[in-house]
Amino acid sequence: MKIKLKVWRQKNPSDKGGFVSYDLEEVSPDMSFLEMMDVLNEQLLKKDEDPVHFDHDCREGICGTCSMYINGRPHGPLQGVTTCQLHMRSFNDGDTITIEPWRSKAFPVIKDLVVDRSSFDRIIQAGGYISVGTGGVPDANEIPISADIANEAMDAAACIGCGACVAACKNASAMLFVSAKVSQFALLPQGEVESKNRVENMVAQMDEEGFGACTNTGACAIECPKGISLEHIARLNREYYFAKQSSENVSVREHVHEG
Ligand code: SF4
Ligand code: FES
């Protein structure tokens, strides 16, 4: 396959940046997208040019590091896959492929396609943890959890923190990411201890980082490679409401749950 690439090149955070075109010959349809990028970089290195900087690590859809906006969509044209799981057979001979970094004030570009996602780390530090007793190990069956709830918590825990939800959102909102991280604990009794502080602190940190508000467009859930559902955003809103209410009326949560 012959492929033309239009790649965002930006020397550093203060550089204006712009698209540069590259022609690639002999791209195999069986190459992964990142292998194709490796071929481009080998080509550039042979010509003594600066290779395109991009993030990657596991290359199997687990770590959430790969982050490219491909032909106007985070992680490219397929649903439910990350950039590293995308293959060149999803494109046609002669195609032009446009590659950009995630665009968000809270994800500033470091170089080329690499953005700084430490804002996500700071949100996790604000509340994405549970208290763990270090005494004797309790029997796993001592805290019975129904399969439905366990599965829902597991679905939320599938979030890999890639940031595609932010990149897809017209408001650059991080609500889907934060809702997954709040949900995975809110659904389980182990998450109960810090529940009030968790949701308040994570939402406060999200706002401080400069992410936009959620206006229920749903692009985040469409583009999320792990299928994180908008239902988690509804749960985040509920958790936040209960946390804010709790100091004024401690019984409101129990009342609504009973209802
Ligand atoms: S919610 Fe989905 S798109 Fe957003 S960070 Fe998690 S895995 Fe990535
Ligand atoms: S490189 Fe780890 S998810 Fe893509």
Side-chain angles (χ1 to χ4, degrees):
M1 293 164 71
K2 288 186 180 169
I3 297 288
K4 185 184 272 301
L5 297 177
K6 278 174 69 184
V7 184
W8 185 262
R9 302 300 314 258
Q10 185 173 335
K11 286 190 177 69
N12 54 53
S14 52
D15 180 27
K16 196 161 162 256
F19 286 105
V20 178
S21 293
Y22 302 100
D23 289 307
L24 285 185
E25 316 264 329
E26 295 178 14
V27 171
S28 162
D30 296 326
M31 277 179 185
S32 75
F33 196 85
L34 295 187
E35 281 166 346
M36 181 276 294
M37 293 299 290
D38 293 338
V39 170
L40 167 67
N41 278 346
E42 278 165 22
Q43 206 168 287
L44 292 174
L45 285 166
K46 272 187 200 151
K47 289 194 280 181
D48 242 1
E49 289 180 29
D50 193 22
V52 177
H53 286 59
F54 60 93
D55 265 333
H56 60 101
D57 191 358
C58 72
R59 295 200 177 201
E60 52 187 13
I62 297 170
C63 71
T65 312
C66 56
S67 51
M68 293 185 194
Y69 214 79
I70 302 164
N71 285 348
R73 293 184 66 180
H75 295 299
L78 302 185
Q79 248 180 312
V81 301
T82 53
T83 297
C84 60
Q85 295 172 303
L86 185 63
H87 286 82
M88 294 312 293
R89 53 181 169 268
S90 297
F91 301 90
N92 298 312
D93 187 28
D95 271 1
T96 298
I97 304 174
T98 305
I99 310 172
E100 299 169 75
W102 286 174
R103 307 263 187 206
S104 160
K105 194 171 77 179
F107 289 162
V109 173
I110 297 172
K111 184 173 167 109
D112 296 335
L113 305 172
V114 179
V115 299
D116 180 356
R117 280 173 285 181
S118 55
S119 48
F120 268 15
D121 296 336
R122 288 187 289 275
I123 292 172
I124 294 293
Q125 283 161 8
Y129 51 82
I130 57 166
S131 298
V132 179
T134 53
V137 181
D139 192 316
N141 293 331
E142 271 180 15
I143 309 173
I145 295 164
S146 74
D148 286 354
I149 298 291
N151 288 341
E152 221 176 325
M154 195 61 209
D155 287 348
C159 167
I160 53 175
C162 63
C165 44
V166 175
C169 177
K170 63 182 179 173
N171 308 319
S173 168
M175 283 285 275
L176 196 65
F177 164 75
V178 176
S179 73
K181 299 304 175 190
V182 165
S183 269
Q184 67 183 7
F185 296 127
L187 283 157
L188 301 174
Q190 290 90 338
E192 197 53 39
V193 182
E194 292 96 353
S195 61
K196 178 178 178 297
N197 290 344
R198 175 181 306 114
V199 68
E200 285 184 327
N201 292 345
M202 289 178 87
V203 168
Q205 191 65 37
M206 174 180 80
D207 290 343
E208 197 180 316
E209 298 292 348
F211 291 104
C214 173
T215 49
N216 298 320
T217 310
C220 54
I222 301 274
E223 299 294 3
C224 170
K226 297 297 164 185
I228 301 298
S229 152
L230 291 178
E231 283 173 24
H232 296 297
I233 294 186
R235 181 172 299 103
L236 169 67
N237 287 334
R238 273 200 304 279
E239 288 291 313
Y240 191 73
Y241 171 77
F242 289 132
K244 287 290 178 200
Q245 289 291 315
S246 66
S247 48
E248 295 161 28
N249 178 5
V250 286
S251 66
V252 73
R253 186 188 186 101
E254 284 147 26
H255 178 70
V256 171
H257 275 186
E258 279 163 17

